[in-house]
Amino acid sequence: MRYALRRAGQAAIVLIAAYTVTFLLLQLLPGDAILIRYDNPELGLSAEQIQQIRINYGVDTPWWQQYLTTLAGYLRGEFGYSTQYGTGVLELIGEALPSTVALAGIGFLVAVILAVAIAFLSTLSPFGWLRRGLQAIPGVFVSIPVFWLGILLIQVFSFGLGWVPIVGADPVVGLILPVLTLAVPISAPLAQILIRSVDEVRLQPFVTVVRAKGASESRVLFTSVARNAILPTLTIAGVLFGELVGGAVVTETVFGRPGIGRVTEQAVANQDIPVLQGIVVLAAFTFIVVNLAVDLLYPVLDPRLRSGSRRANAGTAVPESTPTPVEASA
């Protein structure tokens, strides 16, 4: 419990730091979103009316006062109003979020399946040339830009082969190409870490013991190696979630999908600072929650961390080396 509370406190500090940095960086942007939106002769607004709008949005106050007012609003769950549309930021994000969550969630699941398939097939492959070829795939995947892969998939599978329509497609079919665009680059670092971790665990003495008992390579991999090799992969998976959000923004733009990506693109074009800040804080919150969940999952998967935590709480130094594996029996 103390470990969970400490990690939750650290997560709250990181979230406030992310909000502060975002606020300061957005304050440094040139231009004025209120003037961009309302200082238009076609609207026929007077200078006094525009000034009143600035007062309503609170942008006429000093930056530190805006910082505290906005922070208090975020703590109350109030994200302000869009300077472009006049609607609530939470309402805009709430309308766009389900599409992005579906794309990012399915994309991450496909990335994990790709990474596990590449790592396990390369481990179980009886041919050296095939194993080396599979291990080279992550290096190719990680070098592919998201926007380039999306355009390539559209050209080949939509315009060329006509297998997946890009316009007027069924909602499920319409997810195929965006999910592949998002999953391929994300799967590369996952597969690289998993391959390296599996290779290291396979050399451990307890694996040799399991193998000496007559277990096959596939049984050794699935029952003894995989669980011990998954911890480093969990760490990189949590870090990659931030990249997943950024990739979703690019993917939605390439495929013209409604979602956080389109809202972000329009907010950047119009310097809609309340919307931009709300999206960045929401992305940081999601990233922190995912990493907190990964940290809390460690003691569940590795009993050594639970015993280390108990010893630390009891004031006993934790040994640097604890060779006991998570699962040493076949």
Side-chain angles (χ1 to χ4, degrees), residues 49-258:
Q49 289 174 317
I50 294 176
Q51 180 60 26
Q52 184 59 46
I53 294 174
R54 294 176 61 82
I55 294 174
N56 293 339
Y57 276 99
V59 297
D60 62 324
T61 56
W63 68 267
W64 59 268
Q65 189 171 345
Q66 294 181 43
Y67 171 83
L68 294 177
T69 303
T70 309
L71 179 59
Y74 273 63
L75 293 176
R76 294 194 303 270
E78 300 171 358
F79 282 39
Y81 294 89
S82 165
T83 57
Q84 180 65 21
Y85 305 105
T87 55
V89 173
L90 277 181
E91 183 181 349
L92 280 176
I93 294 176
E95 292 176 355
L97 194 59
S99 175
T100 301
V101 169
L103 175 62
I106 299 174
F108 188 74
L109 179 62
V110 173
V112 171
I113 294 174
L114 277 175
V116 171
I118 293 172
F120 282 17
L121 288 176
S122 68
T123 301
L124 297 176
S125 174
F127 308 107
W129 61 270
L130 181 57
R131 185 165 52 252
R132 289 189 293 273
L134 289 169
Q135 291 177 348
I137 289 178
V140 177
F141 282 180
V142 78
S143 61
I144 299 177
V146 174
F147 70 93
W148 183 84
L149 179 60
I151 294 173
L152 179 66
L153 291 176
I154 291 174
Q155 290 291 335
V156 173
F157 294 103
S158 184
F159 297 151
L161 300 175
W163 291 353
V164 183
I166 193 65
V167 179
D170 179 83
V172 177
V173 176
L175 272 174
I176 294 176
L177 296 185
V179 164
L180 287 177
T181 303
L182 197 59
V184 167
I186 297 296
S187 68
L190 287 175
Q192 284 180 323
I193 297 297
L194 191 56
I195 289 172
R196 183 177 304 173
S197 184
V198 166
D199 289 342
E200 291 176 354
V201 174
R202 290 180 70 204
L203 298 178
Q204 295 296 317
F206 76 92
V207 177
T208 304
V209 172
V210 174
R211 195 178 287 117
K213 291 180 179 177
S216 64
E217 283 299 319
S218 59
R219 182 175 175 81
V220 169
L221 176 63
F222 289 107
T223 61
S224 300
V225 174
R227 189 176 178 185
N228 288 276
I230 198 172
L231 290 178
T233 311
L234 273 179
T235 302
I236 192 66
V239 174
L240 283 174
F241 193 83
E243 187 175 339
L244 187 72
V245 173
V249 171
V250 176
T251 303
E252 288 175 348
T253 303
V254 170
F255 287 90
R257 291 178 55 82

Side-chain angles (χ1 to χ4, degrees), residues 272-314:
D272 199 340
I273 290 179
V275 175
L276 280 176
Q277 188 161 334
I279 291 174
V280 172
V281 170
L282 178 65
F285 175 77
T286 308
F287 179 77
I288 290 170
V289 168
V290 170
N291 280 274
L292 178 62
V294 170
D295 288 344
L296 296 180
L297 194 59
Y298 279 156
V300 177
L301 295 176
D302 193 341
R304 293 173 296 180
L305 297 178
R306 292 199 294 271
S307 62
S309 177
R310 286 195 295 270
R311 292 179 183 181
N313 292 335

